[in-house]
Amino acid sequence: MVQAQSLTYSVDSTEPIEILQITDPHLFAQQSGQLLGVTTAESLHAVLDTVLANQHQAKLALITGDISQDFSPESYQYFAKAAKKLQLPCHHLPGNHDEAAVMNANIVGEYMCSQKRILIGNWQILLLDTTVAGIPGGYLPDSEVAFIEASIASAPDLHTLLVMHHNPIKVGCQWLDQHWMKNGDAFIHTVRRFPQIKGLVWGHVHQEIDKLVKTGMKAIRVIATPSTCIQFKPHCDDFTLDHLQPGYRLLQLASDGSISTQVYRVPGERFMPELNASGY
Ligand SMILES: [Fe+2]
């Protein structure tokens, strides 16, 4: 199973590997669709144009869920078409706003990659499915834990990055944390068993996080990334939008297992959501 899902990239393993994370586009069947005042197709294009303007040397992009807002085939087809401008392989996983069957059937074409295990230089990147049908919260099933264990067992010398949609730790926003990865504590316990795991990366929370979480003797790097549309304000118990612009993340994976990373946002103040909204 592990081998069937793998894709290997050949790179100069002495150079840091640049990877993009693009998350939570929340696209609609209609390109004019708006989420709380932001036209999500437009903000996605603004983010993709910002990526291009920044002239990174990225080898691939990780698309970490909530690609659709309305579960429509057209929303996934639109993402696949829009992302072509990056001219980069885009490995994707579903979020709670996605319908996996519709997504997999429609997010296809040039540059769209369904493989969930990426082997690149001294690293392997594992894309995990934390979605649970019909609810906004997440859960990491035993099959995904087995996937992690088997992947590390088959390449124990590689540094490992785990990528998912839901936050496996609480982020300090009560309204969001009720929809975290419900078995996050058990997952962190699993992560502690593997020194190969250097970082956890997710979407879902529409805000920037980059910190170390101390657990036992190990500190785990945890990273979350702004959405390409609306932003959620950190440390708010009730639903609160942020005025920050849509963005993406660049990850640089070094051959010694260290991670450098930075968030980039669309310049200016082009996108302004309905800041007084109380939910979506
Ligand atoms: Fe989202």
Side-chain angles (χ1 to χ4, degrees), residues 23 66 79 97 108 110 117 134 143 153 161 205 220 230 241 261:
T23 197
D66 283 3
F79 181 85
H97 284 274
V108 293
E110 198 180 7
R117 184 179 185 224
S143 57
L161 188 71
V205 297
I220 301 171
I230 57 172
L241 288 181
T261 183

Side-chain angles (χ1 to χ4, degrees), residues 23-26 65-66 69 96-97 165 203-206 227 232 280:
T23 197
D24 294 78
H26 290 264
D66 283 3
Q69 174 65 17
N96 49 293
H97 284 274
H165 181 70
H204 190 51
V205 297
H206 294 218
S227 160
F232 301 145
Y280 80 113

Side-chain angles (χ1 to χ4, degrees), residues 6-231:
S6 296
L7 186 60
T8 301
Y9 292 82
S10 38
V11 293
D12 176 355
S13 62
T14 59
E15 291 292 314
I17 300 156
E18 292 196 356
I19 307 276
L20 298 173
Q21 185 193 5
I22 293 170
T23 197
D24 294 78
H26 290 264
L27 296 167
F28 295 84
Q30 301 291 329
Q31 293 173 36
S32 56
Q34 288 199 338
L35 191 59
L36 301 179
V38 172
T39 306
T40 58
E42 211 176 291
S43 62
L44 172 64
H45 271 294
V47 168
L48 298 175
D49 289 343
T50 306
V51 172
L52 293 175
N54 287 333
Q55 298 186 321
H56 305 299
Q57 300 299 312
K59 300 289 188 239
L60 58 95
L62 303 169
I63 317 301
T64 48
D66 283 3
I67 292 158
S68 181
Q69 174 65 17
D70 62 5
F71 308 101
S72 64
E74 293 85 355
S75 59
Y76 297 110
Q77 292 161 8
Y78 187 78
F79 181 85
K81 191 174 154 198
K84 268 188 193 175
K85 70 166 77 169
L86 294 180
Q87 298 186 295
L88 284 177
C90 292
H91 290 260
H92 48 79
L93 57 82
N96 49 293
H97 284 274
D98 294 308
E99 172 61 53
V102 181
M103 175 170 153
N104 291 332
N106 288 281
I107 191 165
V108 293
E110 198 180 7
Y111 300 116
M112 295 298 116
C113 300
S114 60
Q115 294 87 354
K116 306 305 180 198
R117 184 179 185 224
I118 299 163
L119 299 166
I120 185 164
N122 291 345
W123 286 80
Q124 65 175 330
I125 303 169
L126 306 181
L127 284 82
L128 307 172
D129 184 350
T130 57
T131 59
V132 182
I135 63 165
Y139 188 90
L140 192 74
D142 290 347
S143 57
E144 292 293 65
V145 175
F147 171 53
I148 296 168
E149 289 170 339
S151 297
I152 293 177
S154 71
D157 295 333
L158 295 182
H159 310 298
T160 300
L161 188 71
L162 301 183
V163 185
M164 65 214 82
H165 181 70
H166 290 88
N167 46 313
I169 62 162
K170 293 188 174 175
V171 299
C173 295
Q174 201 175 59
W175 75 272
L176 269 173
D177 284 338
Q178 63 182 326
H179 305 310
W180 72 316
M181 185 199 293
K182 195 176 163 192
N183 58 341
D185 289 341
F187 172 62
I188 294 295
H189 194 74
T190 299
V191 169
R192 280 174 54 185
R193 288 168 34 214
F194 296 102
Q196 292 93 339
I197 299 174
K198 306 301 185 194
L200 314 179
V201 176
W202 66 83
H204 190 51
V205 297
H206 294 218
Q207 62 191 268
E208 178 178 358
I209 295 170
D210 179 8
K211 64 181 185 180
L212 289 170
V213 172
K214 190 98 166 65
T215 164
M217 297 295 288
K218 184 174 177 177
I220 301 171
R221 185 86 171 268
V222 297
I223 293 167
T225 297
S227 160
T228 67
C229 59
I230 57 172
Q231 312 300 309

Side-chain angles (χ1 to χ4, degrees), residues 254-269:
S255 58
D256 66 358
S258 60
I259 302 170
S260 304
T261 183
Q262 190 177 343
V263 161
Y264 296 84
R265 293 182 188 270
V266 173
E269 296 185 341

